[in-house]
Amino acid sequence: MPVTGPESCGHQVEKRSSHSDQGGPISSETRINERIRVPEVRLVGPNGEQVGIVRIEDALRLAQEHDLDLVEVAPQARPPVAKLMDFGKFKYESAQKARESRRNQQMTVIKEQKLRPKIDQHDYETKKGHVSRFLAAGNKVKVTIMFRGREQSRPELGFRLLQKLADDVTELGFVESSPKQDGRNMIMVLAPHKNVKPKVAKAEPAPEA
């Protein structure tokens, strides 16, 4: 029965890398089948079951009988750990998962909003609207309270304002970094909830004639 895997296509897989005995992650440089040149291995079955220490000849025979590859997953162990698996299928599925992960990955953007501790209600609503929009777009928001003069002796004003803002936008985000004093400023970081999908601004319909 022919042995499956990259070596049957002439790929070079001599170099080794460290892996767990559960079979992943495995790179294209992993030694498989006849390229595993040791007298014996600690064999792991296709479902993760521990077979035990067996001669390399017996491990290769089992791989052929099951139409699988013998893959070295922990070359530094003594003896090395090898697992029975479909190496070609494993590599394909790993590549698919990697592509999907890159597709779903989003760059984290941190926006900033600055407030005064004695901000009036109208300005507060405007600033809160900006924060809500940033969170809805999937961005983090660094909120900074700027103290001036005697305001520095009243840090509780900034703390209460930041608490109020966090409560007002709780449906869109949460406090990732609690309010803390930084010189003349007080800073809090808000992060969007993971289940909040970024919203794309829609063009408003043109008014009827």
Side-chain angles (χ1 to χ4, degrees):
M1 184 180 296
V3 179
T4 59
E7 68 164 9
S8 61
C9 300
H11 293 300
Q12 296 298 316
V13 287
E14 280 289 338
K15 295 183 181 179
R16 297 184 286 179
S17 56
S18 297
H19 308 287
S20 71
D21 61 0
Q22 297 303 312
I26 298 176
S27 75
S28 60
E29 297 178 337
T30 300
R31 296 197 306 183
I32 68 172
N33 300 323
E34 282 79 8
R35 292 185 180 274
I36 305 175
R37 300 186 180 95
V38 293
E40 59 185 17
V41 296
R42 184 178 298 277
L43 186 62
V44 179
N47 297 315
E49 67 275 18
Q50 298 290 331
V51 178
I53 297 176
V54 300
R55 295 188 309 162
I56 188 65
E57 296 85 357
D58 295 333
L60 288 169
R61 176 178 53 79
L62 286 172
Q64 289 186 339
E65 289 177 356
H66 290 82
D67 196 23
L68 294 171
D69 298 300
L70 181 66
V71 181
E72 189 179 49
V73 297
Q76 305 303 325
R78 291 293 178 268
V81 179
K83 184 176 181 180
L84 297 175
M85 68 171 71
D86 184 336
F87 190 52
K89 179 181 178 182
F90 177 87
K91 287 187 63 180
Y92 173 78
E93 292 177 347
S94 296
Q96 290 288 91
K97 290 178 182 179
R99 280 195 292 270
E100 186 67 23
S101 177
R102 288 194 297 270
R103 188 180 301 118
N104 294 333
Q105 188 177 21
Q106 295 180 351
M107 184 178 296
T108 300
V109 177
I110 299 181
K111 300 290 187 176
E112 185 172 13
Q113 277 296 297
K114 296 182 178 180
L115 294 77
R116 294 293 306 281
K118 295 181 180 180
I119 188 172
D120 63 45
Q121 187 62 30
H122 176 74
D123 287 343
Y124 172 78
E125 292 297 331
T126 300
K127 297 287 187 178
K128 184 183 73 174
H130 294 329
V131 172
S132 297
R133 188 172 70 253
F134 294 148
L135 292 172
N139 300 317
K140 293 184 180 182
V141 186
K142 175 183 176 183
V143 185
T144 302
I145 302 293
M146 301 179 296
F147 296 96
R148 293 179 183 175
R150 295 180 180 180
E151 292 175 346
Q152 296 180 59
S153 63
R154 300 289 305 279
E156 70 276 6
L157 294 178
F159 184 79
R160 285 202 295 266
L161 181 59
L162 291 175
Q163 274 193 319
K164 172 178 170 57
L165 178 61
D167 291 340
D168 287 347
V169 298
T170 188
E171 292 185 0
L172 295 171
F174 63 95
V175 178
E176 183 181 70
S177 179
S178 300
K180 61 181 179 181
Q181 198 78 26
D182 182 15
R184 295 185 177 183
N185 300 328
M186 182 175 288
I187 297 171
M188 175 181 72
V189 177
L190 297 170
H193 293 303
K194 291 183 178 180
N195 60 348
V196 174
K197 296 182 178 180
K199 295 181 180 180
V200 179
K202 297 181 180 179
E204 296 182 0
E208 297 181 0

